[in-house]
Amino acid sequence: MDSLPKELKGLIGPSILNADLSALADESHRLLNAGADYLHLDVMDGHFVPNLTIGHPVIKCLRKNIPKIYFDAHMMVSKPEQWIQEMADAGVNQYTFHIEAATTTENISEIIRKIKEANMKVGLGIKPKTNVNILSEFIDDIDVVLIMTVEPGFGGQKFMTDMMDKVRWLRKNYPQLLHIEVDGGINMKTINDCAQAGANMIVSGSALVDSKQPNKDIEQMREIIDESLKNKKYNIHLTNDQQCSH
Ligand code: DX5
Ligand code: ZN
């Protein structure tokens, strides 16, 4: 895909964090040829998270190699306001930043406005320890909510099932919110929890990168999500306790 769909459907975005980064373009093509819908590009600054990855110069080169596919830049950086224009110039379609990095409500709104002015979609993410309620006042202004299902920083960690309460809460309370993205530890088993909770944008790193049959796995992941969305199998009845606990 080259833009976000206007209807709710399963979208699979591999994270190339655990791939052979010296062969970034080849690895990306391999996963796109296997049927991935978009690429999730993990940008880390060694400050917001204890790791370093790639930045806009690398993404710009990747864009030359992959002209059309939707690029979601997951900005795990302390100053998300600093890289908006650079990422837009590099060809990023979605700028996903963390609410924990922006200190005040004014900052968050300002960053959202600047991302839109730079013609990118807005993703707003929360780390596992952040309460989901904090997103409420921004939901109408953004395109995607990102619920982290591991502590950001590294690939290959264990999926945190209890984060699904946040996804359920969002699906229930914000029917106008189309895209809920989940990221971290998602594989052929944990995809079922994501589907039942109502997530539709699925980031999967090591599971897809290491898979011997990525095309089958991507297709199956998408089917599981689409099936659940169609049947509205996800539990939309939450207690007040659950709503406030994360
Ligand atoms: C974690 C990153 C994720 C992660 C996904 O900080 O944001 O995108 O690398 O990789 P897996 O699926 O291996 O957890
Ligand atoms: Zn990520």
Side-chain angles (χ1 to χ4, degrees):
M1 71 179 192
D2 56 9
S3 62
L4 273 184
K6 293 202 169 28
E7 77 273 38
L8 182 56
K9 60 179 184 171
L11 303 168
I12 312 301
S15 151
I16 39 61
L17 185 58
N18 275 22
D20 175 358
L21 290 174
S22 72
L24 183 55
D26 289 350
E27 280 291 276
S28 302
H29 278 300
R30 184 174 71 83
L31 291 159
L32 290 166
N33 289 338
D37 296 286
Y38 67 103
L39 283 186
H40 177 89
L41 301 166
D42 287 307
V43 176
M44 303 185 189
D45 67 352
H47 191 259
F48 183 73
V49 288
N51 200 3
L52 280 173
T53 52
I54 58 170
H56 54 92
V58 173
I59 295 179
K60 194 172 192 169
C61 295
L62 190 64
R63 177 51 94 197
K64 284 193 189 125
N65 242 277
I66 305 176
K68 276 224 156 104
I69 290 297
Y70 191 82
F71 281 3
D72 165 28
H74 180 193
M75 303 298 295
M76 287 163 275
V77 300
S78 290
K79 291 186 178 171
E81 66 277 10
Q82 194 174 345
W83 309 109
I84 296 169
Q85 198 51 54
E86 283 81 355
M87 284 295 168
D89 293 343
V92 162
N93 303 90
Q94 176 179 323
Y95 193 93
T96 304
F97 71 103
H98 273 270
I99 206 161
E100 299 87 357
T103 43
T104 63
T105 301
E106 290 72 45
N107 274 353
I108 298 164
S109 301
E110 180 76 357
I111 294 168
I112 291 172
R113 188 179 60 74
K114 284 187 178 153
I115 297 169
K116 286 181 177 168
E117 275 172 15
N119 283 321
M120 293 183 289
K121 298 289 182 198
V122 183
L124 186 56
I126 54 170
K127 299 203 282 185
K129 290 194 185 90
T130 304
N131 194 310
V132 68
N133 302 345
I134 197 173
L135 293 166
S136 298
E137 62 182 298
F138 306 106
I139 298 268
D140 288 338
D141 294 327
I142 62 178
D143 301 287
V144 175
V145 164
L146 166 67
I147 300 296
M148 288 306 298
T149 45
V150 297
E151 274 303 329
F154 300 92
Q157 302 182 76
K158 191 170 179 288
F159 180 79
M160 300 166 86
T161 312
D162 51 344
M163 293 301 116
M164 293 304 98
D165 286 350
K166 297 183 186 181
V167 177
R168 272 190 289 271
W169 185 84
L170 287 167
R171 267 286 170 250
K172 176 181 182 237
N173 288 293
Y174 298 96
Q176 81 277 24
L177 173 70
L178 275 180
H179 302 291
I180 302 178
E181 186 177 45
V182 281
D183 180 14
I186 299 169
N187 54 36
M188 298 315 291
K189 283 190 183 136
T190 55
I191 184 77
N192 292 297
D193 289 330
C194 302
Q196 275 156 28
N200 73 301
M201 287 178 79
I202 306 300
V203 178
S204 178
S206 41
L208 290 180
V209 167
D210 298 339
S211 171
K212 294 207 167 57
Q213 42 170 39
N215 36 359
K216 254 190 158 177
D217 289 352
I218 289 172
E219 195 186 342
Q220 209 181 324
M221 278 186 171
R222 200 164 32 228
E223 268 174 27
I224 291 169
I225 297 291
D226 283 341
E227 191 57 24
S228 184
L229 292 172
K230 203 172 84 195
N231 296 336
K232 295 203 187 335
K233 269 186 196 151
Y234 46 86
N235 173 20
I236 55 164
H237 305 289
L238 278 182
T239 65
N240 282 336
D241 268 4
Q242 278 169 304
Q243 285 182 25
C244 300
S245 61
H246 292 286

